[in-house]
Structure formats: structure tokens, C-alpha cells
Amino acid sequence: MTHDAIRQPTAESSASAAAAVGDEPTQRIPRALIAALDTPPTTVDNSVDSGKQKTAAEQPAVSVWTTAQSSPAAQRKDKYTPESTAHPAKMLPEVVRHAVTHYTKPGELVLDPMCGIGTTLVEAVRLGRRAVGVEYEPHWVEVANANLDVAREQGVGGEEGIDARVYHGDARQLVTLLPPEYVGQAALVVTSPPYGPSTHGQVSVAPGAGVQKYHHLYGNTLDRGNLANIGHHRLLAGFTRILAALRTFLKPGGHIAITIRPWREHAELIDLPSQILACGRAAGLIPVERNVALLARAAETDLVARGSFFQRDFIRKQREAGLPLHLIAHEDVLVFRTALHKSAGRTTADTLTGDVVDLRQYRSARSAVAARDGAGERGQAA
């Protein structure tokens, strides 16, 4: 994941970095965390790991989610605006529905720090949960709100309406984007980082022009604030920062479900699921499950692939080049949870080391640093 040994930041340097506005350091993942992937998984407080007997009301845990029995278009029909189609990496609604049903109760809060067209939010509110999301690109903020409006118009939420909001901003600044009312409130996070160039896009065929690809990029490719445009290792560092910040908003024992898949780059396999597992551990989260969400329909005797045009085209070209690949039939779903009890005495320095942040202390520190720097600049000018 990294090419050299990484020195961990000290508490002092972490505090100053966390307080700096708009100029935050890249946090790399130590090699030791990669090696830790080979250690046995952490024992968790559920009936499977603890040996307790399940009650009749408890749903059995399953590691294979049959989330593609109907096509993606059928899953989104009448629930999402036509503009939603243009997003290059939409999450399957059934993946969200399975996670929300399994890890939350009605009325609880579901969060997505990179919500795109708002799939997590839409499916959560349609299941009677509250929802909040953050999205970097302004256009998708508008589309996510439009999709929530569709649910409102269809009577979801009843007379009280839908308790769901979308905030515009960089999820790496989550502790400054979301108001304090969300601290310690989320029962579940469902999200996915940008990945997999062979999985995105739509096509059109024009006479004499051949196949044209469109809707296959995340915004402006020159925008370095977009996680999709900053390179693989910086993506991992940024996502680790997001995971650490999520701990501030999750309940004790709250879950984070991340959908992710490997992909090939120059014929080499990028094992992103294992790398994200290391990111979660670096952020202070506890890995509890590694499941798969099917992208193919489970028939009586086999799986029926639902690969896109670009997935099929990619596989065809790789096979012609001598690499015997197959269509992707599933995504990994990594599930983490937070500690069952919050520790006391956290400080601003904890932002980069994965500990829970007190938003009031954090924002006060940022204001103090800004005031001090402003005074220093005035003194130099004088």
C-alpha cells in the first residue's frame, strides 16, 4: 500500500495539522497494518462469535447477499429521477436495503459521507429510518435532494415528512461539515469510495463514429479535491481520514458497511477490499464481517451475470490478450463497528489518529489558530 516505512505523526503535529484550515496532510497507511491482515479476525459481540444462542426474533447472519435478483434499472424504477442515470458509480439499492434492514431499527439514523445521487438516503427513509449525507459535487447534491423529493411526493414519511438532509462538501472535513446534533447518533454508515474504471459509464452508437462513451467520469478530472482524481495511495489516505471522522458521528457499537471490489490496472489486480480493510483498522474501527453482495442474479443452478457494456468489452479485450478473466459477479461488503463504549478525554489531536473528536473543542481550536495566525500577519504587516 505504501512504498516506504511511515513515521506516525506526533500528537503535537497532529493537533496543528488538524486545526489548519484547508491544508491537511496526507496520512499514509503503515506496512504493519498490511501484515495485520493475516491475523485472525477480532472476536465480536454477536451470537455467532460469542457462542450465544440466537432468539427466534433474530435474523440469521448471512455472508452472501442476493442483491441483484432484479436489474439495477428495475430497482431504481419510479424512485429516482432520470438525472440519476448519469452518475458513474451508483450503488445498488438492494445492497443498501439489506444493510439498513440488518443493522438498524426503524427511526435510527443512517449516514453516507459520499452519497452521490443519494441511494443510501433514499432507501433508508423508505425503510423508515432517518438519513444524512455529504456529497462533494454540487450537481449530485441537487440530484440527491431531488430523489428525496420523489419519496416525499410519494408519501414516504407521512404527515411528519422525511427526516433527511444532504450537505455539500469534502467528506475529509466531515467534523466541520455536519452539525453537532449528529454526534454519536448514527447507527449505520453505508458508503463506497470511487473505484474501478472498467465499471463505469454509458454508451451511444453514432453512424460513422462508432461507440461513444459518456457519463464515465467523476466531475472535472483536474479537480484534485475529488477523491476519484488524486491517485490510488492518496485515495486510501483520504478514505482513512473519512473513516476516522465517522467515529465521531456513530453510536457506540454502530456499524459501517463499505461496498468495494478489486479491479485490474495494466493487467495487475488491485486488491482494494484488503486495502480498505487496513484503512478501517488504521482509523480505529473493528472489522466484524466480510460479505459479498451479488451483482449477478442467483438462478437455480448458477449465476446470471449482469455486466455492463464496458465490463463485457473489458473482459473481451483481456481474453484476447491472453488473460482469462470473467465478469464480476459480486462486490465485497466490509463491515466494521465502533467500540461498544466511548472513551473519555479525547482531544483535537485525535482527529488524525482515529479517535473520536469533540466537535466543540475541535472548532474552538480551529478558531483560536485562525485568530492567532491573523494577529501574526497583522503584526508582520505593521
Side-chain angles (χ1 to χ4, degrees):
M1 189 175 304
T2 57
H3 296 290
D4 46 22
I6 304 301
R7 181 176 62 85
Q8 291 296 311
T10 63
E12 182 178 355
S13 63
S14 297
S16 60
V21 179
D23 185 22
E24 307 203 354
T26 296
Q27 178 192 4
R28 297 200 175 194
I29 310 303
R31 283 186 177 276
L33 284 163
I34 308 293
L37 293 175
D38 294 327
T39 61
T42 307
T43 301
V44 297
D45 55 317
N46 61 37
S47 55
V48 174
D49 293 327
S50 64
K52 298 177 182 178
Q53 294 295 320
K54 278 187 174 291
T55 65
E58 287 185 279
Q59 294 183 351
V62 293
S63 60
V64 178
W65 301 359
T66 52
T67 47
Q69 295 303 91
S70 59
S71 70
Q75 292 185 28
R76 299 187 184 99
K77 186 177 180 181
D78 299 328
K79 296 194 297 183
Y80 296 84
T81 63
E83 292 77 13
S84 303
T85 307
H87 195 279
K90 299 176 289 296
M91 186 179 292
L92 271 181
E94 282 299 326
V95 172
V96 179
R97 293 181 68 83
H98 184 101
V100 169
T101 302
H102 190 70
Y103 299 108
T104 70
K105 298 176 182 178
E108 290 188 317
L109 180 67
V110 179
L111 167 63
D112 187 345
M114 293 177 287
C115 68
I117 65 170
T119 303
T120 295
L121 282 58
V122 169
E123 299 304 324
V125 298
R126 287 178 177 273
L127 289 170
R129 277 66 170 177
R130 296 177 293 128
V132 61
V134 172
E135 171 54 36
Y136 179 77
E137 297 189 44
H139 173 68
W140 301 125
V141 173
E142 295 177 3
V143 173
N145 278 316
N147 288 328
L148 289 171
D149 286 341
V150 171
R152 291 186 180 96
E153 292 166 2
Q154 294 175 351
V156 176
E159 294 181 358
E160 296 182 0
I162 292 174
D163 186 356
R165 282 181 274 180
V166 185
Y167 292 85
H168 173 224
D170 187 340
R172 288 171 290 186
Q173 310 297 329
L174 202 63
V175 293
T176 61
L177 284 174
L178 294 182
E181 68 188 82
Y182 290 115
V183 172
Q185 296 301 305
L188 173 67
V189 171
V190 183
T191 195
S192 181
Y195 62 92
S198 68
T199 67
H200 305 327
Q202 299 177 51
V203 296
S204 64
V205 180
V211 176
Q212 301 295 317
K213 188 173 184 177
Y214 65 101
H215 292 161
H216 61 290
L217 299 173
Y218 289 92
N220 186 342
T221 56
L222 299 179
D223 182 358
R224 310 313 291 174
N226 194 321
L227 282 179
N229 301 328
I230 61 176
H232 184 60
H233 290 289
R234 292 188 66 191
L235 165 64
L236 294 175
F239 196 64
T240 302
R241 186 173 189 85
I242 293 169
L243 293 176
L246 286 170
R247 295 181 58 197
T248 298
F249 300 97
L250 279 161
K251 292 180 176 180
H255 289 85
I256 300 178
I258 305 169
T259 65
I260 201 73
R261 73 181 75 164
W263 80 87
R264 289 191 180 270
E265 192 171 283
H266 307 300
E268 291 188 7
L269 183 69
I270 307 297
D271 187 6
L272 195 55
S274 291
Q275 293 171 349
I276 294 298
L277 182 58
C279 291
R281 283 176 166 157
L285 298 168
I286 303 168
V288 292
E289 295 176 26
R290 184 164 182 172
N291 307 313
V292 298
L294 292 182
L295 302 174
R297 179 171 63 87
E300 185 174 350
T301 58
D302 57 3
L303 295 177
V304 180
R306 297 187 184 277
S308 67
F309 171 87
F310 286 103
Q311 289 174 317
R312 294 176 185 276
D313 183 60
F314 176 79
I315 295 298
R316 178 182 59 80
K317 291 176 180 177
Q318 295 300 310
R319 289 183 175 181
E320 289 175 352
L323 197 61
L325 300 186
H326 297 271
L327 283 171
I328 295 174
H330 76 275
E331 290 184 311
D332 285 59
V333 184
L334 301 180
V335 181
F336 300 89
R337 70 160 171 81
T338 57
L340 296 179
H341 304 283
K342 285 189 176 181
S343 301
R346 301 302 187 190
T347 66
T348 305
D350 296 333
T351 308
L352 294 181
T353 55
D355 288 328
V356 175
V357 179
D358 184 310
L359 287 190
R360 294 177 181 83
Q361 293 182 13
Y362 180 77
R363 287 168 174 163
S364 296
R366 290 172 66 96
S367 299
V369 169
R372 182 194 64 199
D373 292 345
E377 291 175 359
R378 289 192 294 273
Q380 293 175 3

